[in-house]
Amino acid sequence: MEQYDRRPARQVTVPLVRRDSIGASHHVLTFEYDTPLEAQAGQFVMVRGTNWGQSPFLPRPMSLLHGGKRPSILVKVVGEGTRRLANAEPGDLFSVLAPLGRPWSPCSSHRVPILVAGGVGVCPLLFLARTLKQQGIRPVALYGGRSSGDLVLYEELQAESDLRLATEDGSAGVKGKVTALLDEALMEADGRATVYTCGPRAMMASVVAAARKANVPCEVSLETVMACGYGVCLGCAVPRFDGGYVYACSEGACIDGRVIDWKK
Ligand SMILES: Cc1cc2nc3c(=O)[nH]c(=O)nc-3n(C[C@H](O)[C@H](O)[C@H](O)COP(=O)(O)OP(=O)(O)OC[C@H]3O[C@@H](n4cnc5c(N)ncnc54)[C@H](O)[C@@H]3O)c2cc1C
Ligand code: FES
């Protein structure tokens, strides 16, 4: 596995300074740090409101949209923790442990980065697209969801990439799954693609299979359930194809997709 510049994670208590809601289900939360959070694309935070009491007890993992003095996350409401995040108001205090996890591997200038996002899997890929832009690289981005309402932050992604959309109900982009766009993008890249993907497990399994068929590298971001986020609880084990497990928080979240047993 490629080495990376691992900055130690810091546990801080920071205020929320903005909550930008995108409909009822999606919310961008921005926190204010005293000293900038030095995070790399693909890294995540463990976040918990200081006023949450006993429930939910554990912090929630969220990918970073960017680091800096005012790091942001995008939250989709699925349960109690994300509902509490979505209802937070500016001034509310949060305990944040960051930066965590292995970031995306760098993409050399003679490769063609293809970013494949499903739903809120867009977060670590938008951070990656912004990082690539700073290096003068404009990636191809393929973004899919059930309907147009799932394609949050697509305008931000469009600003950084050659963006193509797919929705299962046809309300935006081509009708069908995002993976339907991948074969064409891989063909255009003519063997020089490096694929990065984050989204539902079945989508990532298809993306890894397509990249394998095209004989190009493919990294995935593993968004399994996590309790600690830094390799202590062993609750984030994901089966390896060659037996045993990888721990998504410490060996991922970003990892070579070929390492994972996608059938289990
Ligand atoms: C590294 C990482 C990065 C993530 N980044 C984001 C992000 O940028 N934005 C975002 O909205 N979410 C992200 N998630 C998922 C997010 O952490 C969960 O949705 C959240 O913890 C759910 O908490 P809850 O209390 O609202 O729901 P819970 O009450 O804990 O669960 C509600 C339902 O969601 C399911 N669920 C919970 N966690 C997950 C999960 N990780 N994967 C699949 N199903 C789950 C449960 O099984 C249950 O059915 C990320 C997860 C990881 C591990
Ligand atoms: S979440 Fe605890 S070891 Fe990975």
Side-chain angles (χ1 to χ4, degrees):
M1 248 176 228
E2 201 163 327
Q3 290 303 307
Y4 66 98
D5 178 16
R6 186 185 280 267
R7 300 283 155 89
R10 282 190 287 150
Q11 179 94 54
V12 292
T13 301
V14 288
L16 182 75
V17 285
R18 286 182 68 118
R19 172 168 55 81
D20 297 291
S21 297
I22 309 163
S25 312
H26 296 91
H27 308 264
V28 176
L29 269 56
T30 303
F31 305 95
E32 185 152 68
Y33 270 56
D34 285 339
T35 48
L37 172 62
E38 290 187 49
Q40 299 171 63
Q43 291 191 298
F44 64 95
V45 303
M46 294 295 286
V47 58
R48 186 175 189 281
T50 59
N51 63 358
W52 285 6
Q54 292 296 305
S55 174
F57 185 67
L58 293 168
R60 293 302 190 245
M62 291 285 154
S63 291
L64 281 158
L65 285 166
H66 55 84
K69 277 275 283 180
R70 289 189 160 198
S72 294
I73 57 174
L74 168 69
V75 177
K76 178 180 180 185
V77 179
V78 296
E80 177 64 8
T82 47
R83 189 187 60 75
R84 296 197 72 144
L85 285 165
N87 289 336
E89 295 293 345
D92 287 356
L93 291 177
F94 286 84
S95 171
V96 183
L97 179 64
L100 292 167
R102 175 177 290 276
W104 298 115
S105 296
C107 186
S108 75
S109 55
H110 46 271
R111 307 287 304 175
V112 179
I114 300 178
L115 282 42
V116 189
V120 286
V122 72
C123 297
L125 294 167
L126 180 52
F127 193 166
L128 177 61
R130 288 172 169 150
T131 306
L132 290 168
K133 187 183 188 180
Q134 285 164 8
Q135 296 161 9
I137 302 173
R138 191 171 173 84
V140 173
L142 316 177
Y143 188 11
R146 284 204 194 102
S147 69
S148 56
D150 292 324
L151 304 182
V152 287
L153 303 183
Y154 81 89
E155 283 164 330
E156 285 80 350
L157 188 57
Q158 194 162 36
E160 319 292 355
S161 67
D162 166 8
L163 178 66
R164 304 163 198 185
L165 304 176
T167 49
E168 287 173 38
D169 67 0
S171 52
V174 302
K175 186 169 181 183
K177 293 190 190 297
V178 68
T179 41
L181 299 170
L182 182 56
D183 285 340
E184 192 185 22
L186 285 168
M187 227 149 57
E188 286 168 11
D190 197 20
R192 291 182 305 120
T194 297
V195 181
Y196 301 88
T197 186
C198 184
R201 187 184 163 85
M203 184 205 88
M204 292 200 290
S206 300
V207 172
V208 172
R212 190 188 279 273
K213 201 167 144 207
N215 200 23
V216 296
C218 177
E219 276 195 0
V220 302
S221 175
L222 297 172
E223 298 201 338
T224 54
V225 175
M226 291 182 184
C228 72
Y230 53 91
V232 171
C233 72
L234 308 186
C236 62
V238 177
R240 293 178 65 101
F241 84 98
D242 57 355
Y245 294 91
V246 289
Y247 294 99
C249 67
S250 51
E251 295 173 81
C254 302
I255 191 167
D256 183 342
R258 289 168 301 188
V259 170
I260 307 301
D261 184 346
W262 295 100
K263 294 203 176 84
K264 286 194 181 147

